[in-house]
mmCIF file of all heavy atoms in Angstrom:
data_model
loop_
_atom_site.group_PDB
_atom_site.id
_atom_site.type_symbol
_atom_site.label_atom_id
_atom_site.label_comp_id
_atom_site.label_asym_id
_atom_site.label_seq_id
_atom_site.Cartn_x
_atom_site.Cartn_y
_atom_site.Cartn_z
ATOM 1 N N ASP A 1331 18.683 -12.055 -17.992
ATOM 2 C CA ASP A 1331 19.983 -12.379 -17.392
ATOM 3 C C ASP A 1331 20.619 -11.122 -16.800
ATOM 4 O O ASP A 1331 21.147 -11.142 -15.684
ATOM 5 C CB ASP A 1331 20.931 -12.977 -18.440
ATOM 6 C CG ASP A 1331 20.710 -14.472 -18.640
ATOM 7 O OD1 ASP A 1331 20.162 -15.118 -17.730
ATOM 8 O OD2 ASP A 1331 21.075 -14.970 -19.721
ATOM 9 N N ALA A 1332 20.590 -10.022 -17.575
ATOM 10 C CA ALA A 1332 21.202 -8.772 -17.114
ATOM 11 C C ALA A 1332 20.520 -8.260 -15.857
ATOM 12 O O ALA A 1332 21.187 -7.812 -14.910
ATOM 13 C CB ALA A 1332 21.140 -7.724 -18.222
ATOM 14 N N VAL A 1333 19.182 -8.337 -15.822
ATOM 15 C CA VAL A 1333 18.431 -7.857 -14.661
ATOM 16 C C VAL A 1333 18.743 -8.697 -13.420
ATOM 17 O O VAL A 1333 18.973 -8.164 -12.324
ATOM 18 C CB VAL A 1333 16.919 -7.872 -14.978
ATOM 19 C CG1 VAL A 1333 16.096 -7.747 -13.708
ATOM 20 C CG2 VAL A 1333 16.563 -6.743 -15.940
ATOM 21 N N GLU A 1334 18.771 -10.004 -13.575
ATOM 22 C CA GLU A 1334 19.044 -10.873 -12.428
ATOM 23 C C GLU A 1334 20.484 -10.737 -11.949
ATOM 24 O O GLU A 1334 20.749 -10.728 -10.740
ATOM 25 C CB GLU A 1334 18.718 -12.319 -12.796
ATOM 26 C CG GLU A 1334 17.224 -12.550 -12.998
ATOM 27 C CD GLU A 1334 16.871 -14.009 -13.228
ATOM 28 O OE1 GLU A 1334 17.789 -14.815 -13.515
ATOM 29 O OE2 GLU A 1334 15.677 -14.339 -13.124
ATOM 30 N N ASN A 1335 21.425 -10.622 -12.876
ATOM 31 C CA ASN A 1335 22.827 -10.424 -12.486
ATOM 32 C C ASN A 1335 23.015 -9.092 -11.762
ATOM 33 O O ASN A 1335 23.827 -8.981 -10.837
ATOM 34 C CB ASN A 1335 23.741 -10.491 -13.711
ATOM 35 C CG ASN A 1335 23.830 -11.887 -14.293
ATOM 36 O OD1 ASN A 1335 23.571 -12.872 -13.607
ATOM 37 N ND2 ASN A 1335 24.183 -11.978 -15.571
ATOM 38 N N TYR A 1336 22.267 -8.101 -12.198
ATOM 39 C CA TYR A 1336 22.335 -6.775 -11.572
ATOM 40 C C TYR A 1336 21.853 -6.847 -10.121
ATOM 41 O O TYR A 1336 22.489 -6.298 -9.224
ATOM 42 C CB TYR A 1336 21.484 -5.809 -12.384
ATOM 43 C CG TYR A 1336 21.622 -4.345 -12.016
ATOM 44 C CD1 TYR A 1336 22.853 -3.785 -11.685
ATOM 45 C CD2 TYR A 1336 20.515 -3.507 -12.039
ATOM 46 C CE1 TYR A 1336 22.969 -2.440 -11.375
ATOM 47 C CE2 TYR A 1336 20.623 -2.159 -11.728
ATOM 48 C CZ TYR A 1336 21.846 -1.633 -11.394
ATOM 49 O OH TYR A 1336 21.959 -0.301 -11.083
ATOM 50 N N TYR A 1337 20.750 -7.542 -9.896
ATOM 51 C CA TYR A 1337 20.230 -7.704 -8.529
ATOM 52 C C TYR A 1337 21.266 -8.410 -7.644
ATOM 53 O O TYR A 1337 21.412 -8.089 -6.457
ATOM 54 C CB TYR A 1337 18.929 -8.493 -8.557
ATOM 55 C CG TYR A 1337 18.388 -8.836 -7.186
ATOM 56 C CD1 TYR A 1337 17.674 -7.894 -6.438
ATOM 57 C CD2 TYR A 1337 18.582 -10.101 -6.626
ATOM 58 C CE1 TYR A 1337 17.184 -8.202 -5.178
ATOM 59 C CE2 TYR A 1337 18.094 -10.411 -5.371
ATOM 60 C CZ TYR A 1337 17.389 -9.459 -4.653
ATOM 61 O OH TYR A 1337 16.912 -9.769 -3.399
ATOM 62 N N ASN A 1338 21.982 -9.344 -8.217
ATOM 63 C CA ASN A 1338 22.958 -10.134 -7.448
ATOM 64 C C ASN A 1338 24.321 -9.463 -7.339
ATOM 65 O O ASN A 1338 25.239 -10.045 -6.737
ATOM 66 C CB ASN A 1338 23.115 -11.526 -8.081
ATOM 67 C CG ASN A 1338 21.868 -12.368 -7.933
ATOM 68 O OD1 ASN A 1338 21.229 -12.358 -6.877
ATOM 69 N ND2 ASN A 1338 21.503 -13.094 -8.984
ATOM 70 N N ASP A 1339 24.464 -8.257 -7.875
ATOM 71 C CA ASP A 1339 25.734 -7.534 -7.807
ATOM 72 C C ASP A 1339 25.862 -6.888 -6.425
ATOM 73 O O ASP A 1339 25.290 -5.834 -6.160
ATOM 74 C CB ASP A 1339 25.790 -6.474 -8.911
ATOM 75 C CG ASP A 1339 27.140 -5.768 -8.992
ATOM 76 O OD1 ASP A 1339 27.972 -5.947 -8.072
ATOM 77 O OD2 ASP A 1339 27.361 -5.023 -9.965
ATOM 78 N N SER A 1340 26.634 -7.520 -5.557
ATOM 79 C CA SER A 1340 26.741 -7.054 -4.169
ATOM 80 C C SER A 1340 27.462 -5.720 -4.054
ATOM 81 O O SER A 1340 27.387 -5.056 -3.011
ATOM 82 C CB SER A 1340 27.454 -8.110 -3.310
ATOM 83 O OG SER A 1340 28.756 -8.372 -3.820
ATOM 84 N N ALA A 1341 28.183 -5.321 -5.116
ATOM 85 C CA ALA A 1341 28.849 -4.021 -5.074
ATOM 86 C C ALA A 1341 27.835 -2.889 -5.214
ATOM 87 O O ALA A 1341 28.107 -1.756 -4.812
ATOM 88 C CB ALA A 1341 29.892 -3.928 -6.189
ATOM 89 N N VAL A 1342 26.672 -3.173 -5.784
ATOM 90 C CA VAL A 1342 25.633 -2.160 -5.977
ATOM 91 C C VAL A 1342 24.513 -2.325 -4.958
ATOM 92 O O VAL A 1342 24.063 -1.359 -4.344
ATOM 93 C CB VAL A 1342 25.053 -2.239 -7.410
ATOM 94 C CG1 VAL A 1342 23.987 -1.154 -7.616
ATOM 95 C CG2 VAL A 1342 26.154 -2.116 -8.450
ATOM 96 N N TRP A 1343 24.078 -3.568 -4.753
ATOM 97 C CA TRP A 1343 22.920 -3.844 -3.894
ATOM 98 C C TRP A 1343 23.363 -4.638 -2.672
ATOM 99 O O TRP A 1343 23.660 -5.827 -2.762
ATOM 100 C CB TRP A 1343 21.853 -4.617 -4.681
ATOM 101 C CG TRP A 1343 21.469 -3.923 -5.945
ATOM 102 C CD1 TRP A 1343 21.915 -4.197 -7.207
ATOM 103 C CD2 TRP A 1343 20.601 -2.791 -6.064
ATOM 104 N NE1 TRP A 1343 21.375 -3.322 -8.107
ATOM 105 C CE2 TRP A 1343 20.563 -2.450 -7.443
ATOM 106 C CE3 TRP A 1343 19.849 -2.044 -5.163
ATOM 107 C CZ2 TRP A 1343 19.799 -1.387 -7.918
ATOM 108 C CZ3 TRP A 1343 19.098 -0.995 -5.644
ATOM 109 C CH2 TRP A 1343 19.072 -0.678 -6.998
ATOM 110 N N LYS A 1344 23.429 -3.963 -1.544
ATOM 111 C CA LYS A 1344 23.836 -4.595 -0.298
ATOM 112 C C LYS A 1344 22.691 -5.438 0.260
ATOM 113 O O LYS A 1344 21.523 -5.221 -0.059
ATOM 114 C CB LYS A 1344 24.248 -3.534 0.738
ATOM 115 C CG LYS A 1344 25.221 -2.485 0.221
ATOM 116 C CD LYS A 1344 26.546 -3.089 -0.206
ATOM 117 C CE LYS A 1344 27.528 -2.009 -0.637
ATOM 118 N NZ LYS A 1344 28.762 -2.573 -1.196
ATOM 119 N N ASP A 1345 23.037 -6.358 1.144
ATOM 120 C CA ASP A 1345 22.007 -7.191 1.768
ATOM 121 C C ASP A 1345 20.977 -6.340 2.506
ATOM 122 O O ASP A 1345 19.776 -6.631 2.479
ATOM 123 C CB ASP A 1345 22.641 -8.190 2.737
ATOM 124 C CG ASP A 1345 23.341 -9.330 2.007
ATOM 125 O OD1 ASP A 1345 23.236 -9.403 0.762
ATOM 126 O OD2 ASP A 1345 23.987 -10.157 2.681
ATOM 127 N N GLU A 1346 21.447 -5.272 3.157
ATOM 128 C CA GLU A 1346 20.506 -4.425 3.902
ATOM 129 C C GLU A 1346 19.560 -3.685 2.962
ATOM 130 O O GLU A 1346 18.435 -3.358 3.333
ATOM 131 C CB GLU A 1346 21.244 -3.436 4.805
ATOM 132 C CG GLU A 1346 22.260 -2.556 4.110
ATOM 133 C CD GLU A 1346 23.676 -3.110 4.190
ATOM 134 O OE1 GLU A 1346 23.831 -4.350 4.193
ATOM 135 O OE2 GLU A 1346 24.616 -2.304 4.242
ATOM 136 N N ASP A 1347 20.000 -3.422 1.704
ATOM 137 C CA ASP A 1347 19.109 -2.821 0.713
ATOM 138 C C ASP A 1347 18.042 -3.818 0.273
ATOM 139 O O ASP A 1347 16.868 -3.464 0.108
ATOM 140 C CB ASP A 1347 19.891 -2.359 -0.518
ATOM 141 C CG ASP A 1347 20.945 -1.303 -0.198
ATOM 142 O OD1 ASP A 1347 20.716 -0.517 0.736
ATOM 143 O OD2 ASP A 1347 21.981 -1.286 -0.879
ATOM 144 N N LYS A 1348 18.445 -5.062 0.073
ATOM 145 C CA LYS A 1348 17.522 -6.076 -0.436
ATOM 146 C C LYS A 1348 16.392 -6.374 0.547
ATOM 147 O O LYS A 1348 15.340 -6.877 0.141
ATOM 148 C CB LYS A 1348 18.294 -7.354 -0.780
ATOM 149 C CG LYS A 1348 19.232 -7.171 -1.964
ATOM 150 C CD LYS A 1348 20.038 -8.425 -2.255
ATOM 151 C CE LYS A 1348 20.964 -8.216 -3.447
ATOM 152 N NZ LYS A 1348 21.808 -9.398 -3.719
ATOM 153 N N GLY A 1349 16.608 -6.039 1.818
ATOM 154 C CA GLY A 1349 15.542 -6.212 2.798
ATOM 155 C C GLY A 1349 14.344 -5.315 2.545
ATOM 156 O O GLY A 1349 13.247 -5.573 3.044
ATOM 157 N N TYR A 1350 14.533 -4.266 1.735
ATOM 158 C CA TYR A 1350 13.448 -3.331 1.421
ATOM 159 C C TYR A 1350 12.702 -3.713 0.140
ATOM 160 O O TYR A 1350 11.688 -3.113 -0.187
ATOM 161 C CB TYR A 1350 14.005 -1.915 1.247
ATOM 162 C CG TYR A 1350 14.520 -1.290 2.524
ATOM 163 C CD1 TYR A 1350 15.835 -1.480 2.951
ATOM 164 C CD2 TYR A 1350 13.695 -0.508 3.318
ATOM 165 C CE1 TYR A 1350 16.306 -0.912 4.118
ATOM 166 C CE2 TYR A 1350 14.158 0.078 4.481
ATOM 167 C CZ TYR A 1350 15.465 -0.142 4.878
ATOM 168 O OH TYR A 1350 15.915 0.419 6.041
ATOM 169 N N ILE A 1351 13.231 -4.685 -0.609
ATOM 170 C CA ILE A 1351 12.691 -5.035 -1.917
ATOM 171 C C ILE A 1351 11.776 -6.247 -1.779
ATOM 172 O O ILE A 1351 12.198 -7.301 -1.306
ATOM 173 C CB ILE A 1351 13.828 -5.303 -2.914
ATOM 174 C CG1 ILE A 1351 14.681 -4.046 -3.086
ATOM 175 C CG2 ILE A 1351 13.271 -5.769 -4.259
ATOM 176 C CD1 ILE A 1351 15.970 -4.267 -3.867
ATOM 177 N N VAL A 1352 10.531 -6.076 -2.205
ATOM 178 C CA VAL A 1352 9.508 -7.112 -2.044
ATOM 179 C C VAL A 1352 9.290 -7.826 -3.376
ATOM 180 O O VAL A 1352 9.155 -7.182 -4.422
ATOM 181 C CB VAL A 1352 8.178 -6.489 -1.569
ATOM 182 C CG1 VAL A 1352 7.099 -7.547 -1.419
ATOM 183 C CG2 VAL A 1352 8.385 -5.753 -0.253
ATOM 184 N N LYS A 1353 9.235 -9.141 -3.344
ATOM 185 C CA LYS A 1353 8.940 -9.905 -4.554
ATOM 186 C C LYS A 1353 7.528 -9.594 -5.044
ATOM 187 O O LYS A 1353 6.602 -9.396 -4.254
ATOM 188 C CB LYS A 1353 9.058 -11.402 -4.279
ATOM 189 C CG LYS A 1353 10.481 -11.924 -4.232
ATOM 190 C CD LYS A 1353 10.458 -13.432 -4.078
ATOM 191 C CE LYS A 1353 11.850 -14.036 -4.117
ATOM 192 N NZ LYS A 1353 11.805 -15.513 -3.970
ATOM 193 N N SER A 1354 7.377 -9.584 -6.370
ATOM 194 C CA SER A 1354 6.062 -9.341 -6.957
ATOM 195 C C SER A 1354 5.979 -10.053 -8.303
ATOM 196 O O SER A 1354 6.991 -10.522 -8.843
ATOM 197 C CB SER A 1354 5.827 -7.835 -7.152
ATOM 198 O OG SER A 1354 6.803 -7.282 -8.023
ATOM 199 N N ASP A 1355 4.765 -10.156 -8.847
ATOM 200 C CA ASP A 1355 4.584 -10.767 -10.158
ATOM 201 C C ASP A 1355 4.955 -9.763 -11.240
ATOM 202 O O ASP A 1355 4.619 -8.578 -11.152
ATOM 203 C CB ASP A 1355 3.132 -11.204 -10.351
ATOM 204 C CG ASP A 1355 2.732 -12.309 -9.387
ATOM 205 O OD1 ASP A 1355 3.629 -12.971 -8.833
ATOM 206 O OD2 ASP A 1355 1.515 -12.507 -9.185
ATOM 207 N N LEU A 1356 5.638 -10.247 -12.272
ATOM 208 C CA LEU A 1356 6.040 -9.407 -13.398
ATOM 209 C C LEU A 1356 5.204 -9.793 -14.609
ATOM 210 O O LEU A 1356 5.160 -10.965 -15.004
ATOM 211 C CB LEU A 1356 7.525 -9.593 -13.691
ATOM 212 C CG LEU A 1356 8.131 -8.716 -14.793
ATOM 213 C CD1 LEU A 1356 8.059 -7.243 -14.407
ATOM 214 C CD2 LEU A 1356 9.578 -9.121 -15.059
ATOM 215 N N CYS A 1357 4.517 -8.804 -15.198
ATOM 216 C CA CYS A 1357 3.633 -9.041 -16.335
ATOM 217 C C CYS A 1357 4.449 -9.041 -17.622
ATOM 218 O O CYS A 1357 5.018 -8.013 -17.994
ATOM 219 C CB CYS A 1357 2.554 -7.967 -16.386
ATOM 220 S SG CYS A 1357 1.477 -7.962 -14.918
ATOM 221 N N VAL A 1358 4.496 -10.186 -18.318
ATOM 222 C CA VAL A 1358 5.366 -10.336 -19.487
ATOM 223 C C VAL A 1358 4.586 -10.716 -20.741
ATOM 224 O O VAL A 1358 5.169 -11.185 -21.723
ATOM 225 C CB VAL A 1358 6.476 -11.373 -19.215
ATOM 226 C CG1 VAL A 1358 7.407 -10.883 -18.122
ATOM 227 C CG2 VAL A 1358 5.887 -12.731 -18.847
ATOM 228 N N GLY A 1359 3.274 -10.509 -20.738
ATOM 229 C CA GLY A 1359 2.482 -10.783 -21.928
ATOM 230 C C GLY A 1359 2.807 -9.823 -23.060
ATOM 231 O O GLY A 1359 3.136 -8.658 -22.836
ATOM 232 N N LYS A 1360 2.701 -10.297 -24.297
ATOM 233 C CA LYS A 1360 2.973 -9.468 -25.476
ATOM 234 C C LYS A 1360 1.719 -8.684 -25.860
ATOM 235 O O LYS A 1360 0.598 -9.081 -25.558
ATOM 236 C CB LYS A 1360 3.408 -10.349 -26.639
ATOM 237 C CG LYS A 1360 4.690 -11.135 -26.383
ATOM 238 C CD LYS A 1360 5.062 -11.984 -27.594
ATOM 239 C CE LYS A 1360 6.314 -12.802 -27.341
ATOM 240 N NZ LYS A 1360 6.709 -13.605 -28.524
ATOM 241 N N ARG A 1361 1.922 -7.560 -26.549
ATOM 242 C CA ARG A 1361 0.779 -6.784 -27.021
ATOM 243 C C ARG A 1361 1.027 -6.278 -28.436
ATOM 244 O O ARG A 1361 2.182 -6.081 -28.845
ATOM 245 C CB ARG A 1361 0.442 -5.643 -26.070
ATOM 246 C CG ARG A 1361 1.429 -4.525 -25.975
ATOM 247 C CD ARG A 1361 0.968 -3.485 -24.955
ATOM 248 N NE ARG A 1361 -0.135 -2.672 -25.427
ATOM 249 C CZ ARG A 1361 -1.028 -2.094 -24.634
ATOM 250 N NH1 ARG A 1361 -0.959 -2.244 -23.323
ATOM 251 N NH2 ARG A 1361 -2.005 -1.360 -25.145
ATOM 252 N N SER A 1362 -0.059 -6.044 -29.159
ATOM 253 C CA SER A 1362 0.035 -5.524 -30.520
ATOM 254 C C SER A 1362 0.105 -4.009 -30.493
ATOM 255 O O SER A 1362 -0.219 -3.372 -29.477
ATOM 256 C CB SER A 1362 -1.185 -5.966 -31.326
ATOM 257 O OG SER A 1362 -2.345 -5.294 -30.863
ATOM 258 N N GLN A 1363 0.493 -3.431 -31.605
ATOM 259 C CA GLN A 1363 0.584 -1.973 -31.683
ATOM 260 C C GLN A 1363 -0.793 -1.322 -31.621
ATOM 261 O O GLN A 1363 -0.921 -0.172 -31.198
ATOM 262 C CB GLN A 1363 1.295 -1.573 -32.981
ATOM 263 C CG GLN A 1363 2.743 -2.057 -33.044
ATOM 264 C CD GLN A 1363 3.445 -1.645 -34.311
ATOM 265 O OE1 GLN A 1363 3.400 -0.474 -34.695
ATOM 266 N NE2 GLN A 1363 4.111 -2.584 -34.967
ATOM 267 N N ALA A 1364 -1.824 -2.054 -32.007
ATOM 268 C CA ALA A 1364 -3.177 -1.500 -32.021
ATOM 269 C C ALA A 1364 -3.923 -1.713 -30.705
ATOM 270 O O ALA A 1364 -5.056 -1.247 -30.556
ATOM 271 C CB ALA A 1364 -3.977 -2.122 -33.167
#
Side-chain angles (χ1 to χ4, degrees):
D1331 277 338
V1333 165
E1334 292 186 345
N1335 291 338
Y1336 190 39
Y1337 174 80
N1338 292 319
D1339 186 349
S1340 59
V1342 181
W1343 306 99
K1344 311 298 184 186
D1345 286 354
E1346 55 265 33
D1347 299 329
K1348 292 177 180 177
Y1350 291 88
I1351 299 170
V1352 179
K1353 282 185 176 180
S1354 60
D1355 295 341
L1356 184 63
C1357 298
V1358 295
K1360 299 180 182 182
R1361 68 182 286 153
S1362 70
Q1363 296 181 49

